[in-house]
Amino acid sequence: MTEHDEGGLTDRKFPTASEAAEQADKQAPDTPQTRDPAYKLAFRDTDFLLREELRPVRFQLELLKPEMLLDEAGVGSTLVMYGSARIPPPEAVATAREGAANLPEKERIVVERLAAKAKYYAEAYALARMVSEKRIVDGGQRQFVVCSGGGPSIMEAANKGAADAGADTIGLNIVLPHEQAPNPYVTPHLSFQFHYFALRKMHFLLRAKAVAVFPGGFGTFDEFFELLTLVQTGKLKPIPILLFGREFWKRVVDWQALVEEGVIGARDLDLITWCETADEAWGHIASFYDLET
């Protein structure tokens, strides 16, 4: 008797959930009892799964689904890229400036400042493409797979750079009150959608071997400062944290004041590696992991 024969040691003794669901559909008579939601298989009852009491189960599902699919895709580690959803690509700068010509001065200045940051779209694209072209594989798994929030601007630049290198790239979108769709450069089978910010941020860092942070707003601050906190407190082993845009970050965060006020230590600032170019960023990553540049 082989292991595939009936009664073999590796034969499955119970039907799969999909087989059980199919069987239930075929066998259920149409009666008041079977039409009531109470009769639905629990795992097929969406209304039940969305109940307030089922939140812990939904947490687990949002943890498990991306984890399992990334494992199946052979993703060993990621290069995570955070940044604004509002910075225009270089090719859109002229149009943005033309559109702002007749705006009030304060609004025009904002457009100009965003346009000036278009260089970071270019650097995010360059870094993602550079790393993706290296095709680093270790332990049979792909390393430094580019991962972004899946949205526009800096996130789009990251996914586009990887896609143009012919590499798979990850997008971690989230349901928001305003419409948001994955940018077109995210690999479809690595495009995930989240309800819980906490689970999304966990997936950003579970496989991260380096994080590149570009100028951004509240979302970028949230992700960046949580990362700093995790490393500072020893919850996460040190990894390269590559901060692009010294002029921007020193204007919006008074790092030295945090030290002088005693709320962080001077050595905490060593967690940050300042960068302006993709070449600089990859040099720091390669040095940290003793990789060829």
Side-chain angles (χ1 to χ4, degrees), residues 88 93-94 96-101 103 105-118:
V93 167
R97 284 177 168 150
E98 287 175 13
L103 291 176
E105 183 180 5
K106 286 185 178 180
E107 294 179 29
R108 189 171 67 252
I109 289 173
V110 169
V111 173
E112 284 292 337
R113 285 176 173 163
L114 283 172
K117 294 179 183 65

Side-chain angles (χ1 to χ4, degrees), residues 77-259:
S77 69
T78 56
L79 165 61
V80 174
M81 301 177 74
Y82 296 145
S84 174
R86 302 184 183 191
I87 294 172
E91 63 270 19
V93 167
T95 302
R97 284 177 168 150
E98 287 175 13
N102 298 319
L103 291 176
E105 183 180 5
K106 286 185 178 180
E107 294 179 29
R108 189 171 67 252
I109 289 173
V110 169
V111 173
E112 284 292 337
R113 285 176 173 163
L114 283 172
K117 294 179 183 65
K119 61 184 179 182
Y120 294 117
Y121 184 107
E123 293 302 331
Y125 173 90
L127 177 59
R129 181 161 188 165
M130 179 189 308
V131 174
S132 298
E133 287 176 342
K134 295 184 182 298
R135 304 283 196 275
I136 299 172
V137 176
D138 188 51
Q141 293 186 310
R142 293 176 288 171
Q143 308 298 326
F144 298 104
V145 177
V146 170
C147 175
S148 86
S153 192
I154 295 297
M155 295 172 279
E156 176 187 275
N159 296 127
K160 183 178 181 182
D164 285 356
D168 282 347
T169 179
I170 303 164
L172 307 183
N173 281 80
I174 189 159
V175 177
L176 298 173
H178 54 275
E179 182 179 356
Q180 187 195 36
N183 69 65
Y185 304 102
V186 178
T187 301
H189 68 274
L190 298 178
S191 181
F192 302 102
Q193 184 174 212
F194 291 84
H195 172 63
Y196 299 107
F197 267 108
L199 273 299
R200 179 177 182 249
K201 288 191 289 184
M202 178 175 286
H203 278 292
F204 271 131
L205 298 180
L206 279 175
R207 284 174 165 79
K209 290 297 183 183
V211 177
V213 185
F214 293 82
F218 287 163
T220 302
F221 272 63
D222 179 36
E223 294 153 355
F224 173 39
F225 279 92
E226 180 159 321
L227 168 60
L228 289 177
T229 301
L230 289 170
V231 178
Q232 181 202 46
T233 57
K235 288 287 188 180
L236 178 67
K237 292 181 180 178
I239 60 174
I241 302 174
L242 311 161
L243 191 56
F244 282 75
R246 183 187 293 264
E247 181 181 351
F248 168 82
W249 287 105
K250 289 204 167 183
R251 180 168 184 259
V252 298
V253 180
D254 193 334
W255 302 97
Q256 194 55 43
L258 292 173
V259 175

Side-chain angles (χ1 to χ4, degrees), residues 9-28:
L9 295 178
T10 60
D11 282 353
R12 185 184 181 98
K13 301 305 179 186
F14 292 94
T16 65
S18 59
E19 289 170 340
E22 184 179 356
Q23 184 179 17
D25 289 340
K26 289 180 178 179
Q27 293 181 350

